[in-house]
Amino acid sequence: HESWATMASFSRVWARRAAAATTAAAVGGGALLRQYARCDDPLPVLGVPAGGRLLWRTEAHSVVLTAKGERQVLDSAGLVIEPVPAGVNVAYRTECAWQDDWDGRHKARPAVKRTLIFIRHGQYDMAPKARELHLLTALGHEQAALVAERLQRMREEVPAMLASDLSLFHSDMPRAVQTTEPIKKLFSDVPVQCLPDLAEGRPCVPQPSRTARKWSAEQVADDGERIERAFRTLVRRASESAEKDEVVVVVCHANVIRYFVCRALQLPPEAWLRMSLPHGSLTTLCVYPVGRVSLQGFGDAGHLPPGRISR
């Protein structure tokens, strides 16, 4: 009876190994590891080798680093899956763990979500050295009018936006103020606030960059502190007392928007210069009550005719 039990046990083990190997072969490594992935799960995992450590785990699989520096994929029983699925070396590193309390509001969860629609100002005259003379061009005014009409259509045709508490913020720089004017005319019932912290600047030294060495370290530090303060003011969960979804329209600048996107998604802020935004475009972030953030649109310029798009 003992020999039969031993044989049966080995059969079950090999069956699990075969099934795991079949799964790994049939499903790409990325898909396999992305299913219910949790980078920060503290639960112990079976099969971690002596001297090794857990890198990340899903509900069905774990990835461990052996004492020799090799990565192994284990099934829920702690058995090694061979061959190692493709993508194991890039998927779900522990340093990618999501920080739930990024806005300091994790314990006071609201019942509604907060959507932020960031609008880059229209095209402006870059020739003058003085910032106060950076005014919209004729095309910039046209872009501002078109983005206002786009917002109006969204308010009329998107039920979720119609039923939300709407507010409008803008930078104090002339080109942002001018871009806001046609929006204010169409949204006369919406509260408007000028937020100087939204002014254009260099939020941090980007990577890579060949020109950053010419920047003033003091200016970057000042800009970074100010823009980070604007981020903390606007990008957060909805107010705890809010009964309806919050929609916040923010008219500001490309550097500010790109930095906000990196920060909100918990990506390296230094990546902000790797993205590009058209004038008059919409970038949409949604912050859910649990604190998760979704980028629902980036640089959306679908309301502008192709010949009226500029950067």
Side-chain angles (χ1 to χ4, degrees):
H1 293 291
E2 292 181 0
S3 61
W4 280 107
T6 302
M7 291 178 63
S9 177
F10 272 106
S11 296
R12 287 193 294 271
V13 169
W14 284 108
R16 285 197 297 269
R17 284 177 179 258
T22 301
T23 301
V27 182
L32 184 70
L33 295 171
R34 284 176 175 80
Q35 185 179 14
Y36 306 111
R38 294 177 291 185
C39 310
D40 52 348
D41 199 325
L43 297 177
V45 176
L46 298 175
V48 177
R53 64 185 180 90
L54 174 68
L55 295 180
W56 64 84
R57 70 183 298 266
T58 69
E59 289 188 348
H61 305 89
S62 306
V63 176
V64 298
L65 186 69
T66 69
K68 295 182 179 181
E70 300 174 345
R71 296 195 181 197
Q72 290 182 339
V73 182
L74 311 178
D75 64 14
S76 57
L79 301 175
V80 177
I81 297 176
E82 295 178 337
V84 175
V88 164
N89 290 324
V90 295
Y92 296 107
R93 295 168 294 174
T94 51
E95 59 265 32
C96 297
W98 180 263
Q99 303 300 317
D100 286 318
D101 198 27
W102 59 274
D103 61 348
R105 296 169 178 251
H106 186 56
K107 293 183 179 179
R109 293 187 179 180
V112 298
K113 64 184 179 183
R114 180 178 175 90
T115 299
L116 298 113
I117 303 174
F118 296 98
I119 299 171
R120 187 188 180 194
H121 55 76
Q123 185 193 65
Y124 66 101
D125 183 5
M126 299 177 63
K129 291 184 178 181
R131 282 189 166 190
E132 59 271 18
L133 298 180
H134 288 171
L135 305 178
L136 294 186
T137 63
L139 175 58
H141 281 290
E142 184 179 345
Q143 292 165 339
L146 289 170
V147 75
E149 293 173 5
R150 165 79 179 271
L151 289 173
Q152 184 182 39
R153 290 197 302 271
M154 290 171 62
R155 194 181 189 190
E156 294 172 348
E157 300 173 11
V158 180
M161 190 168 176
L162 182 61
S164 300
D165 280 330
L166 192 62
S167 58
L168 174 61
F169 290 81
H170 63 84
S171 157
D172 63 348
M173 300 187 76
R175 56 186 184 270
V177 174
Q178 288 181 301
T179 302
T180 306
E181 287 304 320
I183 301 175
K184 289 169 60 177
K185 291 179 181 178
L186 294 178
F187 290 74
S188 57
D189 60 320
V190 173
V192 181
Q193 182 175 341
C194 176
L195 189 62
D197 283 346
L198 286 169
E200 184 63 305
R202 291 161 174 162
C204 62
V205 176
Q207 293 292 337
S209 175
R210 296 179 179 178
T211 60
R213 68 187 65 179
K214 301 177 182 178
W215 296 356
S216 163
E218 293 79 8
Q219 188 63 54
V220 174
D222 290 344
D223 286 350
E225 181 179 354
R226 172 178 55 76
I227 295 171
E228 173 64 19
R229 188 165 58 241
F231 173 83
R232 293 176 180 271
T233 299
L234 295 174
V235 186
R236 55 174 176 76
R237 276 169 261 219
S239 302
E240 189 176 4
S241 59
E243 298 180 353
K244 297 192 295 183
D245 288 346
E246 297 177 353
V247 175
V248 184
V249 178
V250 184
V251 181
C252 56
H253 310 270
N255 293 359
V256 175
I257 297 170
R258 293 182 287 187
Y259 175 79
F260 281 10
V261 168
C262 289
R263 283 282 286 110
L265 299 180
Q266 298 188 17
L267 300 174
E270 295 81 6
W272 64 269
L273 198 53
R274 303 175 197 175
M275 299 171 268
S276 177
L277 290 170
H279 293 116
S281 62
L282 276 62
T283 294
T284 306
L285 285 169
C286 184
V287 184
Y288 294 94
V290 295
R292 300 299 167 91
V293 181
S294 172
L295 178 63
Q296 299 186 340
F298 183 84
D300 178 4
H303 49 284
L304 302 179
R308 316 311 288 164
I309 295 177
S310 61
R311 295 179 185 270

